């Protein structure tokens, strides 16, 4: 499978559109904004009728808010923009597979479609650790597709954590000088 061919929530092969790639590229740019302020680089953008209605990047450290994930910030902004907590017909693009909290928020917001970049092997709640969106007990179904620009999304995260480890190593060695 190429970088633009993956499987969707129904297990069918899909090819992402040029618009999907455009919005994921934008989500990567948002993630870079978070990285610039020392946050884990995750970006999210919500699109409805080909227009951005919400966007965000991780900010739990800088905002002292454990819920300030990119998806939550984008959801809050989108809901304020459309003046409704239900974001029917919208798509969210996020660079990293959402966690349990974010999956729950996507369901409650009635997001129609989730497109994510790379998987989150430690806490991913869509395909990695749990498959919450595949359960039939939710009152809303979110279609999802993963793997769009996965290499770029993973590279951004890997570089961030490598730099963070190097910085901590240098800090540890600094008192010895």
């Amino acid at each position: 499978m190429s970088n633009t061919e993956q499987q969707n929530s129904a297990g069918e092969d899909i090819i992402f559109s040029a618009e999907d790639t455009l919005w994921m590229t934008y989500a990567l740019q948002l993630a870079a904004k978070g990285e610039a302020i020392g946050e884990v680089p995750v970006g999210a953008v919500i699109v409805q009728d080909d227009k951005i209605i919400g966007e965000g990047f991780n900010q739990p450290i800088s905002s002292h808010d454990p819920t300030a994930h990119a998806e939550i910030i984008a959801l809050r902004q989108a809901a304020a923009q459309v003046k409704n907590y239900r974001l029917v017909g919208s798509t969210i693009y996020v660079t990293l597979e959402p966690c349990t909290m974010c999956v729950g928020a996507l369901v409650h917001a009635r997001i129609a479609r989730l497109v994510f970049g790379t998987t989150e092997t430690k806490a991913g709640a869509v395909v990695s650790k749990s498959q919450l969106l595949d359960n039939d007990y939710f009152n809303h179904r979110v279609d999802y597709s993963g793997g769009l620009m996965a290499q770029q999304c993973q590279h951004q995260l890997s570089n961030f954590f490598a730099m963070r480890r190097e910085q901590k190593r240098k800090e540890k060695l600094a008192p010895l000088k």
Side-chain angles (χ1 to χ4, degrees), residues 24 27-44 56-61 69-71 94-97 117-118 120 152-164:
M24 186 60 74
L28 279 162
Q29 293 169 0
L30 291 168
K33 287 183 178 184
E35 182 175 13
I37 62 169
E39 299 281 358
V40 175
V42 178
F57 53 86
N58 269 8
Q59 298 177 49
I61 298 166
H69 290 197
E71 301 95 322
V94 62
T95 58
L96 183 64
E97 176 185 359
T118 191
E120 211 303 31
Q152 294 94 319
C153 295
Q154 182 59 49
H155 184 72
Q156 189 177 44
L157 287 160
S158 296
N159 282 349
F160 172 80
F161 286 113
M163 289 187 334
R164 182 181 267 182

Side-chain angles (χ1 to χ4, degrees), residues 8-23:
N8 65 9
S9 52
E12 303 160 334
D13 287 340
I14 61 157
I15 298 175
F16 293 105
S17 70
E19 289 81 17
D20 290 337
T21 303
L22 172 80
W23 296 123

Side-chain angles (χ1 to χ4, degrees), residues 35-90:
E35 182 175 13
I37 62 169
E39 299 281 358
V40 175
V42 178
V45 59
I46 301 174
V47 178
Q48 189 178 65
D49 299 325
D50 298 320
K51 290 185 281 193
I52 295 173
I53 60 170
E55 62 185 53
F57 53 86
N58 269 8
Q59 298 177 49
I61 298 166
S62 58
S63 67
H64 310 291
D65 179 357
T67 69
H69 290 197
E71 301 95 322
I72 301 300
I73 291 168
L75 286 167
R76 289 175 179 156
Q77 193 177 95
Q81 173 73 24
V82 301
K83 297 181 178 15
N84 193 333
Y85 74 98
R86 291 186 173 173
L87 305 172
V88 176
S90 60

Side-chain angles (χ1 to χ4, degrees), residues 98-166:
C99 70
T100 301
M101 173 184 69
C102 292
V103 165
L106 297 177
V107 170
H108 287 293
R110 307 300 196 272
I111 293 287
R113 181 174 174 235
L114 159 68
V115 178
F116 64 90
T118 191
T119 55
E120 211 303 31
T121 57
K122 292 183 180 177
V126 179
V127 297
S128 294
K129 284 297 181 184
S130 60
Q131 296 77 40
L132 292 180
L133 293 176
D134 293 336
N135 290 313
D136 61 2
Y137 53 78
F138 286 123
N139 60 350
H140 174 71
R141 172 133 176 89
V142 177
D143 288 325
Y144 64 86
S145 303
L148 177 59
M149 300 176 68
Q151 290 176 331
Q152 294 94 319
C153 295
Q154 182 59 49
H155 184 72
Q156 189 177 44
L157 287 160
S158 296
N159 282 349
F160 172 80
F161 286 113
M163 289 187 334
R164 182 181 267 182
R165 284 189 300 275
E166 180 62 19

